[in-house]
Amino acid sequence: MDIKEIMEQMTLEEKAEVCSGGDFWHTRAFERLGVPAVMMTDGPSGLRKQGEGGDHLGMLESVPAVCFPSSAAVASSFDTALAGELGAELGEECQAEDVALLLGPGLNIKRSPLCGRNFEYYSEDPVLAGEMGAALVRGVQSRGVGSCIKHFACNNQETGRMVSDSAVDERTLHEVYLAPFETVVKRARPWAVMCAYNKVNGTYCAENRLLLTEILRDDWGFDGMVVTDWGAVKDRALGIRAGLDLEMPGGTDRGTKQILAALEDGSLTEDELDLAVENVLSFVEKAQAGSRAVAPDLERGYRLAVRMAARSAVLLKNEGGTLPLAEGAPVALIGDFARDPRYQGGGSSHVNSAKRSNPLDEAPAGVVFAQGYREADEEPDRALIDEAVAVARAADAAVVFAGLPERYESEGFDRTTLDMPAAQNALIAAVAAAQPRTAVVLMNGAPVTMPWADDVAAILEMYLPGDGAGEAMVNLLYGRVNPSGKLAETFPVKLADNPSYLNFPGEDDRTEYREGVFVGYRYYDAKELPVRYPFGHGLSYTTFAYSDLTLGADAFTEGGELSCALTVTNTGTRAGEEVVQLYVAPPAGMRRRPVRELKRFAKVVLEPGESARVTFTLDARALSYYEPLLHAFFAESGAYGIEVGASSRDIRLHATVAFTATRSLPRVISAYSTLADVLAIPAGAQMLGPVLERMAAGAGVAAGSDDVEGARAMLAGIQLSSLVGFGMIGEEQLEGLIAQLNAAQAAAQTE
């Protein structure tokens, strides 16, 4: 395709038509110009290709495909190579089905565990979400198929999702909610970005020039296509001016008419329209260049789904070596999910599975089954529970399969509770009372409360494990596979502990992100709140020791790098994998920051007794927060803790590095600035630091006290203008001092 030539031949109406889809899943074709229609489909957990009709809630049938573990599960693997392998497999299926663009992955941060779509998102942590997302996008696009990251941005709830306004400050926006998108755009160069339904700070994402142009294109260098979420468009012409290219779904002329009317009244220029047209045609051109396979290898995809589910599972608890189970031992499998597991989420990610397994069919000889509850049950059925208790008591061990029914969590609505159905909680409590070797296998898209957690011997979190659920669970329970997943989100003790509790889902279609950057473990660790299971937690059937953390230098400067290395040893009797997590603990500074933040991670495979040296490299960005005064990421000079551990609450090794910033913050000094403001500037500290010390010492003597620290803290709050009022300096001296301080600041900014 010669895009420039095609655009020269296009009429204004055709240019307007390019910017709307041809139907529910295709771009618009222009036969006379040689522009074909290309197809896009959901989603990151498996291909959801539909025929002539289409819907965005997963209600209509789609082609048979492989349902892979949900993103919540994949993130728990902490394995970017595995995410890349999944992406490549999804790309293969897209090729075979002549699909040009896969709508995913979802990169939204898990602000609240109540978000009904959390199973589609990776993590509460932006670094983990960004790394896993970038790996999946690279995998998909390695097969000549595009990936569309979503939902841009601050789409963190389903309640009022079409109209809600996410009110979030600049620092939190960049540091937490935009960071995963930034990582994927810069590291993986996705073909497309999907704008979200909601508003951000009063402006719909589909019309938000700050998001779609100034940040996405100008700051991050995105050169692909921006497409709406299905039905997200409000004012089509305003969207084009903001940086929105393609409206989906298509099939009507509404958008075309709006664009033509805006061209006619001058509120939209042809040059602005041409930018959108070129981006859509460039996408079509890339789509046509991709090769196509003959047929999808669904059996190969299923085998990958089994392996992924096993490698993503998180062993939360395992007392007394309850797991793994002994092959051939009498074991009771209990619960409706044992024969019909909850394996995928609801809504647009719903896959028409070609093949799937369940634990009961995959279990070895020697197991007995009791239903325990019906999937639809809310209240306990005493007869079913009594039967389950009898079966459990007669066995060597019991495994209860439980979790959240699909009616509890889905696209389109949020949860109202973290509790599982009362029928399931009552069953688990009763079985645990009868059988001390009781294990619980959970199938859920997001955290749940566990009132029985202290009473059961083992808990295995599977999230939504995909088509291979049955095989993967049995392989894990019997030790054929060693669990190696870690939680990508915190499991709180109760819902009220969550930092967004009082502000989710908001009121009057407005949600205030008052917790700021303190999302997930950043909040729980800063508050020192007890949690059920912390971020990064996960056990194994073996044990690991950490030792010998060394840094490449005692200090480094902005623009440089720091190497960090440590040794991990498998101290148990089984081969296993450990996720090594590196956190940065910032010093106290002008801005309040989390106690620690995940910055690097690696998954290490070790045989019994084997050791491996793990190396990470840090730069200034890894030490940074987003500074509103600079409108950029910034790390203050100071001593930073380098912490390595097995979770955010299990830090095994610690070292300290001195960091020197080459930039200073652009503080503007006025007569109303305090002495503390002035002392935060190097020139100010040099000029007025000795003055403050003399004042503090004098105040202490006058008060008959030697508390110089207290006097210093009190005096630091004095405004410069007060120095004139106290007769310490004159008005002209004050003006000269302010001019001198601001000149020093300006000079520092230009260095």
Side-chain angles (χ1 to χ4, degrees), residues 547-563:
S547 62
D548 193 22
L549 172 62
T550 60
L551 304 184
D554 294 330
F556 78 112
T557 304
E558 188 171 359
E561 292 184 335
L562 175 72
S563 64

Side-chain angles (χ1 to χ4, degrees), residues 93 104 124 128 168 224 273 303 313 323 325 337 368-370 392 408 426 430 483 497 516 550 570 618 636 641 746:
E93 286 197 34
E124 66 188 24
L128 178 57
V168 54
L273 176 59
R303 298 315 318 167
L323 297 179
L325 303 170
F337 281 175
V368 291
F369 172 72
Y408 272 52
D497 291 340
T550 60
N570 183 342
L618 302 178
E636 294 180 286

Side-chain angles (χ1 to χ4, degrees), residues 83 104 136 168 213 274 283 337 368 445 458 512 519 578 605 661 668 717 723:
L136 186 132
V168 54
T213 295
D274 282 349
F283 159 66
F337 281 175
V368 291
E512 297 185 4
V519 178
E578 175 70 339
V605 183
V668 177
L723 299 180

Side-chain angles (χ1 to χ4, degrees), residues 240-274:
I240 287 179
R241 292 184 61 192
L244 174 64
D245 301 316
L246 179 65
E247 175 187 4
M248 292 299 291
T252 72
D253 60 357
R254 179 169 177 256
T256 299
K257 288 179 177 178
Q258 288 182 347
I259 293 169
L260 292 174
L263 289 169
E264 186 174 347
D265 66 23
S267 59
L268 180 68
T269 68
E270 188 172 356
D271 286 344
E272 290 171 326
L273 176 59
D274 282 349

Side-chain angles (χ1 to χ4, degrees), residues 39 159 176 181 309 333 350 384 479 528 613 630 670 683 689 718:
M39 188 176 194
T159 302
V176 177
F181 291 93
L333 302 188
H350 196 276
L384 291 179
E528 299 182 355
R613 195 74 176 156
L630 293 170
S670 73
I718 293 176

Side-chain angles (χ1 to χ4, degrees), residues 692-693 695-701 703 705-718:
L692 177 63
E693 292 302 317
M695 291 170 62
V701 170
S705 169
D706 58 359
D707 182 13
V708 177
E709 281 295 325
R712 186 187 297 115
M714 180 182 67
L715 292 168
I718 293 176

Side-chain angles (χ1 to χ4, degrees), residues 406-427:
E406 187 170 310
R407 65 184 181 275
Y408 272 52
E409 53 182 352
S410 173
E411 177 180 356
F413 61 87
D414 290 319
R415 296 165 65 188
T416 58
T417 176
L418 292 189
D419 298 339
M420 299 192 314
Q424 297 187 33
N425 283 330
L427 170 69

Side-chain angles (χ1 to χ4, degrees), residues 127 171-172 175-176 515-519 521-527 583-599 619-628 632-641 659 661 665:
V127 169
R171 178 187 169 193
T172 301
E175 197 170 315
V176 177
E515 66 278 4
V517 299
F518 292 90
V519 178
Y521 71 90
R522 289 164 165 77
Y523 173 82
Y524 296 112
D525 290 354
K527 288 279 289 183
Y583 296 84
V584 169
M590 187 180 77
R591 307 291 184 190
R592 188 182 299 275
R593 298 184 63 181
V595 175
R596 63 184 58 86
E597 298 172 285
L598 180 74
K599 294 299 178 181
D619 56 13
R621 176 66 183 263
L623 275 55
S624 296
Y625 69 95
Y626 188 90
E627 174 50 64
F633 281 88
F634 174 72
E636 294 180 286
S637 298
Y640 287 78
F659 175 79
L665 296 181

